[in-house]
Amino acid sequence: MIALSGLTKRFGSFTAVDGIDLTIGSGEFFGLLGPNGAGKTTTIGMLSTLLLPTAGEIRIDGEPLTRQRKEIKRKVSVVTQEYSMRQDMNMDEIMEYQGRLYYMPVRDIRARTEELFEFAGLSAHRGKTVRKLSGGMKRKLMVCRALLTNPELLLLDEPTAGMDAISRRQMWNLLRRLNRQGLTILLTTHYMEEAQSLCGRVALMDGGRLTEVDTPAALIEGLGAFAVDELSEDGVQSRYFQRREDAIDWLSGLDGRCALRDTTLEDVFVERVGKKLS
């Protein structure tokens, strides 16, 4: 279990993360959603101990997470937004280098690498250098590298950024399989469809604070399960309804181009966060 208590990070006079209280249960797939500058990556940075909190604390299974507590740090692994791998190394070299950083025996590194490459569908490409891999393969390799030490918590900061639709769906399937095996996953993403599809719970973050924490289904239900879109000169205007019958009644009274559809998590995000930014 991960517990954040009053977690705060300031950079000079700027408060990037402002007193977050949050508990994520073991085995959860949790999404952290927010606009650029909301504090998501800073929160990931503190969870990975790359950044130190200005105030508050992080506990993993009841134990405080600090840079000095190596046995606690080893429970956490991170996949960053950037491709943080040497371009001239092949896949096996990337994995062996990572394992040696954690003082893993070479035999264990190679056995675990074999298992992970097979799991991620990378075995046929292991001889390629990083520069010759597609974007999707690079992301999968970063996930495999993060899993080498058998962490209990995987932090994913925009793991599918820049991936095409097919590669993104492949990554989703990989992450679902990992979560079904009991891995706790904390995901930040700008893709609301991704969060709705993968996460059991999500938190909306804005201005360094958590504004709402709930399941995607509950957030959608709170806004209204059905949406009516009307195209006007000002763009698309959406109205939300709890009952399909009410949405149809509203739709029947409209002229011009309009449509009825299911409400999505993206609608919730736009209504709760996007309109305030506008």
Side-chain angles (χ1 to χ4, degrees):
M1 182 179 73
I2 304 98
L4 314 181
S5 302
L7 190 65
T8 301
K9 182 62 180 179
R10 300 187 187 94
F11 298 97
S13 60
F14 174 68
T15 301
V17 175
D18 191 2
I20 287 178
D21 294 313
L22 178 66
T23 299
I24 301 172
S26 297
E28 265 203 270
F29 202 135
F30 192 92
L32 194 56
L33 313 178
N36 291 328
K40 305 184 303 297
T41 297
T42 301
T43 301
I44 293 289
M46 288 187 283
L47 281 162
S48 65
T49 72
L50 292 174
L51 296 174
L52 296 177
T54 305
E57 69 171 359
I58 301 168
R59 288 183 174 268
I60 307 290
D61 295 332
E63 297 292 329
L65 175 65
T66 67
R67 287 178 177 173
Q68 292 70 38
R69 300 290 300 276
K70 292 183 178 180
E71 74 282 7
I72 304 300
K73 282 181 59 179
R74 197 180 178 97
K75 294 183 177 184
V76 182
S77 200
V78 61
V79 176
T80 60
Q81 295 182 35
E82 299 79 18
Y83 295 126
S84 55
M85 299 177 292
R86 281 187 51 169
Q87 297 295 303
D88 58 341
M89 285 184 171
N90 64 34
M91 290 188 176
D92 285 290
E93 290 168 339
I94 291 290
M95 298 294 279
E96 184 163 337
Y97 181 74
Q98 179 75 1
R100 288 180 180 272
L101 290 176
Y102 284 85
Y103 304 101
M104 291 177 65
V106 174
R107 181 179 63 256
D108 293 349
I109 294 172
R110 291 175 180 171
R112 180 68 172 152
T113 295
E114 195 74 36
E115 177 186 346
L116 289 169
F117 283 177
E118 183 67 28
F119 182 79
L122 293 176
S123 297
H125 307 279
R126 63 193 309 161
K128 295 180 181 178
T129 57
V130 171
R131 66 167 53 92
K132 293 181 179 179
L133 300 176
S134 68
M137 289 180 187
K138 289 178 182 178
R139 292 290 182 189
K140 286 184 179 181
L141 178 56
M142 290 175 69
V143 171
C144 288
R145 184 181 62 174
L147 296 172
L148 185 64
T149 57
N150 287 299
E152 297 177 15
L153 169 62
L154 182 62
L155 308 175
L156 300 170
D157 194 10
E158 302 287 344
T160 61
M163 293 174 66
D164 61 58
I166 294 174
S167 297
R168 183 175 298 129
R169 295 302 175 99
Q170 290 174 342
M171 178 64 77
W172 292 3
N173 291 335
L174 175 63
L175 296 177
R176 286 191 186 98
R177 287 160 61 197
L178 290 169
N179 183 242
R180 284 198 297 267
Q181 291 180 356
L183 183 66
T184 304
I185 299 176
L186 173 59
L187 167 79
T188 77
T189 181
H190 283 117
Y191 299 115
M192 297 300 113
E193 179 191 6
E194 183 166 279
Q196 184 175 339
S197 176
L198 294 175
C199 299
R201 285 194 305 152
V202 297
L204 301 184
M205 192 171 188
D206 189 25
R209 298 178 179 177
L210 299 184
T211 58
E212 291 187 72
V213 180
D214 215 326
T215 65
L219 291 172
I220 290 169
E221 184 65 28
L223 180 61
F226 302 98
V228 173
D229 295 332
E230 182 179 10
L231 183 63
S232 67
E233 293 181 357
D234 297 326
V236 177
Q237 304 295 321
S238 300
R239 187 180 179 92
Y240 303 98
F241 301 86
Q242 299 293 342
R243 300 172 62 247
R244 184 181 184 87
E245 293 81 1
D246 295 335
I248 292 173
D249 285 345
W250 178 265
L251 182 65
S252 64
L254 298 178
D255 296 321
R257 297 173 60 186
C258 48
L260 170 66
R261 60 176 175 82
D262 293 335
T263 302
T264 67
L265 189 59
E266 184 169 320
D267 294 313
V268 176
F269 182 81
V270 170
E271 290 292 320
R272 299 285 195 269
V273 179
K275 286 190 174 180
K276 184 167 65 173
L277 291 175
S278 300

